[in-house]
Structures are given as structure tokens and as C-alpha cells.
Amino acid sequence: WPGHVPADSVANGIISGLDWFPTFLAAAGNPNIKDELLKGKKIGDKTYKNHLDSYNQMDMITGKGPSARHEIYYFGESTLGAVRIDEYYWLRDDTRSNPEVLAHLAAENAYADAMLAHTRPLQDTIYREIVGRIKADDGTVPQRENGYWYYARYEPGGEFPIHARRKGTLEAPEELLLDPNAMAAGKAYFQIGNYEVSVNGRMLAWAEDSVGRRQWTVRFKDLVTGELLSDTLVNVEPDFVWANDSRTVLYVEKDPDTLLGNRVRRHVLGMPVADDPVVYEEKDPSYYLGLAKSRSNRYLWIQLESTLATEQWVADANDPALAFRVLLPRERGHEYDATDLGERFIIHTNWQA
């Protein structure tokens, strides 16, 4: 429908054949036929008063909103066979702007506050006790990697851990990597999902979420110059690895609808993100997709996991082409995990267990 519905568009939602009547009338200029018939509508010399088990689906068809229908009744001739009720799909609002959804959530929060108001003193007491048992300036045990000691530490009053490193020895000057407390300033929500430093120790990549939907954004920083690079990876998993050239990053792209990670792409710093090639695509939505690097830094892994099976693909981290090959093809009931040791792979498996 030129000007209204783009060619080859797809709309997902509950819809019934009964919905076409009010939908077509809305398209023709009367979006209120259902209400008019319920009250009584005169057409010609007759007055019709009917309840239509149907909905105007113009918003869904034109891409302006979700399906107006939340239930479907299945009949075998005149016998009711089943009822399908969608209790929650209508709450999906990727733009966070649907007035009906926002009003419902506000009402839910107000109800919870009212019902739990008498427990507020106890909540405050428990909170103070928990906080009182936490060391305000706690930190992690430093971990040595590629000539640096990496660690995280808290500062009194800070909500997030500060990520830092020291070169060579623990007595060396501290190099600040990420301070989420400063990065979160002015934001209603903020989280660091993961960070990785390139093999040469110069480039920092991290995943952040400032929305709360786990649709992460990966950013990059030159730790020598302090420059924040323009390269930005959006709607990805917080799961990425550096190749050994310290310029190439593999990352997992999310499906825009299901938000499942289903593609591995390769990005080279300074190159257009839109041109990042697909390295691997998982067609089976029952598998979770992840990335890892071997402890030896020699190999990159694509790790696939479902309820009853796993599969790993491997590539040489020094190979510019990053040509992945499957280690052991997936087989229902077979779960395994591999790592390298010298020129061999050690496989931990449940095969014939």
C-alpha cells in the first residue's frame, strides 16, 4: 500500500481473520465502526447493534504499534475448542514511549510501594546492615597478563569498581582503565559488561549498557594517547576477543527482534563498522553463542551451547584471515570443552560417560 505499508514488510502479532473488517473500514476512513455498532448504527433504513470480536489492526500493519488483539478463540463449527490469551506481549515497548505501558508500570510500582510501605523501616535497617559488612575500599586480587597486573578496586562511596593496571610490578604507577562511577554520572542506568585489552597492551575495548536491556555498545580507547576512538559496535553481546594483531576484534551481533546473539563479525579498527564481515552465523536459535581466547593466546574460540550439546570452532589468533574450523561437530547428548596444550587440544567431554 504505497505511502502506508512498505513493500515486503512483515508484522508479527496475534491477528484473526475477523480483524480484517474493522481494519479495512479504518483504512477506508472509519476507524470507529466497532464502537458504533456496539452502540447501534443506522445503515440505510436499518439499525444494527452488534458486538464485533475483532480489532482495528491498522497500527500493526503500518508499523506504528503492536497488535491490538490479545486473545484468539478457536472453534470447531459451534464448539469452543481453545482460547489463546496473550497476557504480556502488549507490554513490549522497545521505544519506552507507549503511554499505556508506562501508565501500567507506574501503577504497578505505586501498588508495590503502598503494599510494602509498612516494611520501609525494616528495609532501611537491612540495607544499612549489608552495607556495614562491606569493606568500602575493597579490591580484587591482581592478575598478571601480558606484562601488566590488572585489578579492580572500590573507593568509599563509589557504586562501581574502578578498573586499573600496573606495568611490570605492583609498585609501578597505577594506570586507570575505566571509572564507571564517572561514566555513569547523569544516567538513570549504567553497567560495564566486560572489558579486554589488546595483546600489545595499547588498545582498550569495553561493553557498556546505559538502557538496561542488555543491548550492549562496545567502545574503544587508545591507552597511550587517551584518545576515544570513533569505532562503535551497537546492539552486541558483551562478549568479544582481540586477535593477536591488536587491531582486529571479533564480536557477537544480536538479532534485533529476539536479542539473541546469532552472528560473529570481524571489525578492524578504523574501518567502517557497516562493512564488518560475518565470520559465523548460528541458524539454530536453541544455541547460545559466545567467544573466548585460549590461555596461551594462540587460539580464538567460537563456543556454541544448547541444553544437550556443545560445539567449538577454532582459529589461529595470528592468522589475518581468522579461518575458523569446527573442532568436533555438534551431536545431541554430547557436551565438551576444549583447550590447547602445546600442539594438542585437551578435550573435557561427557562422551560415553
Side-chain angles (χ1 to χ4, degrees):
W1 186 10
H4 298 276
V5 181
D8 299 322
S9 60
V10 177
N12 291 312
I14 296 180
I15 191 169
S16 167
L18 299 173
D19 296 338
W20 290 119
F21 176 69
T23 301
F24 286 149
L25 283 181
N30 183 2
N32 303 313
I33 187 62
K34 182 174 180 178
D35 293 336
E36 292 174 356
L37 285 173
L38 188 61
K39 296 176 182 177
K41 180 176 179 63
K42 188 173 183 179
I43 303 176
D45 58 353
K46 291 185 178 181
T47 298
Y48 298 87
K49 190 172 185 179
N50 305 89
H51 167 70
L52 297 181
D53 179 25
S54 54
Y55 295 87
N56 174 7
Q57 298 285 17
M58 283 295 293
D59 280 352
M60 184 179 77
I61 291 173
T62 57
K64 296 179 180 178
S67 171
R69 175 179 287 277
H70 307 308
E71 75 291 320
I72 281 186
Y73 298 91
Y74 297 90
F75 286 89
E77 295 183 353
S78 61
T79 303
L80 176 64
V83 178
R84 177 186 173 190
I85 299 177
D86 176 13
E87 299 283 6
Y88 304 106
Y89 187 81
W90 71 275
L91 283 167
R92 175 169 180 171
D93 176 23
D94 292 348
T95 65
R96 302 294 196 273
S97 61
N98 186 321
E100 185 180 1
V101 173
L102 296 176
H104 176 80
L105 295 177
E108 290 278 6
N109 289 336
Y111 175 79
D113 290 341
M115 296 301 295
L116 297 173
H118 67 285
T119 69
R120 175 57 63 182
L122 178 59
Q123 293 180 46
D124 293 340
T125 299
I126 294 175
Y127 173 78
R128 287 193 298 270
E129 181 176 342
I130 292 175
V131 172
R133 293 173 181 267
I134 298 175
K135 186 179 178 181
D137 57 351
D138 203 2
T140 63
V141 176
Q143 179 177 341
R144 185 174 174 81
E145 186 173 353
N146 297 325
Y148 289 87
W149 290 95
Y150 290 87
Y151 57 92
R153 61 176 178 81
Y154 284 88
E155 290 186 345
E159 184 175 353
F160 301 97
I162 294 171
H163 300 282
R165 70 179 182 179
R166 297 177 188 269
K167 186 175 183 179
T169 70
L170 292 175
E171 288 70 38
E174 180 180 80
E175 298 180 28
L176 180 66
L177 301 178
L178 295 168
D179 183 359
N181 299 290
M183 299 165 71
K187 297 181 175 66
Y189 176 89
F190 187 79
Q191 184 180 4
I192 296 291
N194 183 31
Y195 81 89
E196 295 288 346
V197 177
S198 60
V199 176
N200 65 5
R202 175 164 184 165
M203 307 307 299
L204 170 68
W206 75 92
E208 64 179 50
D209 177 11
S210 58
V211 178
R213 295 200 68 219
R214 300 182 65 80
Q215 290 176 280
W216 304 89
T217 297
V218 174
R219 305 186 189 279
F220 300 89
K221 182 180 180 180
D222 187 325
L223 294 175
V224 174
T225 66
E227 177 190 4
L228 183 64
L229 278 61
S230 60
D231 306 58
T232 305
L233 313 177
V234 298
N235 192 34
V236 299
E237 297 282 5
D239 204 7
F240 48 89
V241 289
W242 288 97
N244 284 352
D245 64 358
S246 296
R247 297 179 58 248
T248 303
V249 175
L250 292 183
Y251 63 96
V252 179
E253 181 182 59
K254 284 177 174 282
D255 182 279
D257 294 320
T258 65
L259 301 186
L260 287 174
N262 62 346
R263 292 186 189 90
V264 177
R265 290 187 181 270
R266 182 177 72 235
H267 177 68
V268 177
L269 295 181
M271 302 300 291
V273 174
D275 296 337
D276 288 354
V278 175
V279 175
Y280 178 89
E281 182 171 5
E282 178 55 48
K283 301 291 187 179
D284 188 340
S286 68
Y287 277 82
Y288 290 98
L289 175 61
L291 296 170
K293 194 170 191 179
S294 67
R295 292 177 62 88
S296 67
N297 279 335
R298 293 181 61 188
Y299 297 103
L300 303 180
W301 298 104
I302 295 176
Q303 299 174 314
L304 300 149
E305 180 179 353
S306 71
T307 303
L308 296 174
T310 59
E311 184 177 81
Q312 284 185 239
W313 292 64
V314 60
D316 186 338
N318 292 298
D319 177 14
L322 293 181
F324 279 87
R325 67 185 188 277
V326 65
L327 190 63
L328 288 172
R330 67 188 66 176
E331 182 179 345
R332 182 178 175 82
H334 185 205
E335 299 174 86
Y336 71 91
D337 180 65
T339 189
D340 65 303
L341 180 63
E343 300 303 318
R344 299 181 178 183
F345 290 111
I346 305 298
I347 298 177
H348 181 216
T349 174
N350 70 344
W351 183 62
Q352 294 186 349

